[in-house]
Amino acid sequence: MPPLRSIELFTGAGGLALGSHLAGFHHEALFEWDADACETLRANRSRGAIRGIKKWGNIVQGDVRDVADFGEFANLDLVAGGAPCQPFSIGGKHRGMQDNRNMIPEFVRTVRQSAPRAFILENVRGLKRKAFEGYLAYILLELQYPEVVIREGESWEDHHRRLQDIHTAGNFDGLRYSVVFDVLNAANFGVAQTRERLFIVGFRSDTNIEWHFPDPTHSADALYASQYVDGDYWERHGLRQPQEPANWGARARRLTQARPTRPWRTIRDAVSDLPSPRSDRDTIAGTTNHRLQLGARSYVGHTGSPIDFPSKTLKAGDHGVPGGENTVVFPNGNFRYLTVREAARVQSFPDEWIFKGAWSEVMRQLGNAVPMELAQVVARSVANSLRRHDATID
């Protein structure tokens, strides 16, 4: 079965790109401005870290605003990208559409110029906040009608009203997409991290594809039951079951035996087979990017992640690596930074994937990444729908 053709914007360390690659998409070009992230992508492509990756197209380092025309990528199956999230992040400066880092208009331009059969746009949950609800509605209409371009001097609010007029008239005959969106928690799909991300998915209207977001496969309830009803979580890790926390035990005892989902994966599930990290070396027993980083801090509002629960959302931080968000807390109260390899596992990157750059820059790459397995779930569902469509017209 031939691969589906794709390009990706704002690729970063490659979480979304790798997930869509494993879902069956062939990347003809990857666009990323950060030098360290580009070096990560190049290093993994050149060493063939993942099967088929050497066939990836150009890794284009630079600002996508400098790409004059994406029309050379006509007839694509997919355009994907995780537009820089700082403008809409709860942890950011909340400037949103006024932030010059807002690259969503560039994603819309790419869709307009390349007219792919489908697109996947990923961003932070914060884009759904009340402060940005009008702008989110505007983005959705822009993506439905990407050829209706904002005019010179026209505000986004006026452009939004014009798009609403076109939408309600119902007679637009240009490039059009059917668009849906949802917030997905990575933990609900087997990632050892409670990372909530907004996904916007569109299919070109001439495909007539019916699609919905994949159903969750994992749950917190199943984890609680595994820990405090069955106890098999602790048995699996060779540990003695601790006393039930008051806020977990009561909930777990109410659970029925019918558990349609699997337990959330915890940090311990993700990293327990790794050797103990050391501060004097980066590679231990063949495990790369596994140096112990000293100096972890925990403070109010930035406490670490308990090892027997999914990690909190890893963060990049505007002023270096955040303390609590990227630390793991052990049952005895000790805590430390996650190593790069541990953080990569929390983001569901395979061990074959290496990261380039100074520690703080690599942790920034990981904090900005889309969890690879979550990306794969969404991209595989899109790919399967495209292939089923192709099978009906062969």
Side-chain angles (χ1 to χ4, degrees):
M1 185 176 294
L4 298 163
R5 299 173 57 241
S6 61
I7 62 171
E8 181 166 324
L9 311 184
F10 326 114
T11 307
L16 180 55
L18 183 53
S20 56
H21 168 76
L22 295 175
F25 289 98
H26 170 72
H27 303 312
E28 298 194 350
L30 302 170
F31 296 85
E32 170 59 39
W33 73 271
D34 182 77
D36 289 316
C38 286
E39 185 60 25
T40 291
L41 296 172
R42 294 188 190 102
N44 284 289
R45 183 180 65 176
S46 65
R47 65 194 289 267
I50 302 297
R51 183 177 179 181
I53 192 176
K54 286 190 173 184
K55 296 181 180 179
W56 282 12
N58 291 334
I59 296 170
V60 183
Q61 183 177 338
D63 193 325
V64 295
R65 289 173 292 194
D66 295 332
V67 179
D69 189 359
F70 287 93
E72 65 177 290
F73 300 105
N75 301 314
L76 287 173
D77 296 295
L78 179 73
V79 167
C85 61
Q86 293 89 345
F88 306 101
S89 172
I90 292 174
K93 298 178 181 178
H94 312 164
R95 294 175 62 190
M97 44 281 192
Q98 308 302 329
D99 196 311
N100 61 10
R101 296 171 297 177
N102 177 17
M103 291 290 135
I104 293 175
E106 290 303 306
F107 189 89
V108 176
R109 176 172 74 93
T110 305
V111 170
R112 176 170 65 251
Q113 293 176 347
S114 62
R117 291 203 292 166
F119 62 78
I120 300 173
L121 173 61
E122 178 268 352
N123 212 278
V124 292
R125 179 192 63 179
L127 188 53
K128 276 196 69 178
R129 293 169 60 204
K130 187 171 182 60
F132 302 133
E133 63 182 2
Y135 192 68
L136 176 57
Y138 168 58
I139 291 168
L140 296 174
L141 278 177
E142 269 197 302
L143 288 167
Q144 282 185 263
Y145 306 98
E147 289 184 333
V148 182
V149 182
I150 191 168
R151 295 166 179 163
E152 184 176 354
E154 185 178 32
S155 68
W156 73 263
E157 293 93 344
D158 287 340
H159 188 210
H160 188 196
R161 285 187 281 272
R162 189 156 56 89
L163 285 164
Q164 289 175 323
D165 290 342
I166 290 170
H167 182 67
T168 54
N171 57 5
F172 186 79
D173 60 0
L175 179 65
R176 184 166 55 86
Y177 287 84
S178 299
V179 180
V180 294
F181 74 98
D182 202 355
V183 173
L184 304 183
N185 186 342
N188 290 341
F189 296 89
V191 177
Q193 182 182 185
T194 54
R195 189 181 190 93
E196 292 186 310
R197 308 297 285 189
L198 175 72
F199 283 84
I200 303 175
V201 176
F203 289 89
R204 206 172 60 209
S205 58
D206 63 326
T207 66
N208 295 313
I209 287 175
E210 297 179 356
W211 188 86
H212 61 268
F213 281 95
D215 294 327
T217 54
H218 296 65
S219 72
D221 280 351
L223 174 61
Y224 299 152
S226 175
Q227 290 178 330
Y228 298 109
V229 175
D230 304 331
D232 59 354
Y233 173 85
W234 311 106
E235 181 178 352
R236 177 159 45 87
H237 286 292
L239 298 171
R240 182 178 178 180
Q241 180 174 327
Q243 182 178 357
E244 295 181 2
N247 60 329
W248 286 17
R251 180 179 183 179
R253 284 190 294 272
R254 291 197 300 270
L255 299 176
T256 66
Q257 295 303 308
R259 297 169 199 148
T261 57
R262 299 167 62 187
W264 272 358
R265 295 190 72 236
T266 67
I267 299 176
R268 193 187 297 274
D269 287 330
V271 308
S272 62
D273 63 326
L274 290 173
S276 296
R278 294 176 52 173
S279 60
D280 62 341
R281 60 183 63 181
D282 183 72
T283 301
I284 304 172
T287 303
T288 60
N289 295 127
H290 194 46
R291 180 187 295 269
L292 175 63
Q293 189 75 25
L294 303 177
R297 294 180 298 140
S298 180
Y299 43 95
V300 176
H302 295 275
T303 55
S305 300
I307 192 170
D308 293 306
F309 202 70
S311 169
K312 298 176 182 178
T313 299
L314 297 186
K315 295 182 180 178
D318 287 338
H319 306 288
V321 179
E325 284 81 355
N326 296 341
T327 62
V328 56
V329 179
F330 298 92
N332 62 5
N334 291 340
F335 62 92
R336 63 168 174 80
Y337 279 120
L338 293 164
T339 70
V340 168
R341 182 51 52 199
E342 290 170 333
R345 284 199 175 186
V346 163
Q347 282 282 47
S348 65
F349 280 97
D351 287 350
E352 294 83 1
W353 203 257
I354 62 173
F355 298 86
K356 294 294 185 178
W359 174 71
S360 60
E361 292 306 314
V362 169
M363 293 303 285
R364 188 186 302 276
Q365 291 176 45
L366 284 164
N368 284 329
V370 182
M372 190 277 291
E373 290 183 2
L374 177 60
Q376 185 177 2
V377 167
V378 176
R380 183 191 298 120
S381 180
V382 170
N384 288 344
S385 291
L386 291 172
R387 292 197 187 283
R388 283 194 297 268
H389 171 267
D390 292 343
T392 63
I393 60 178
D394 285 345

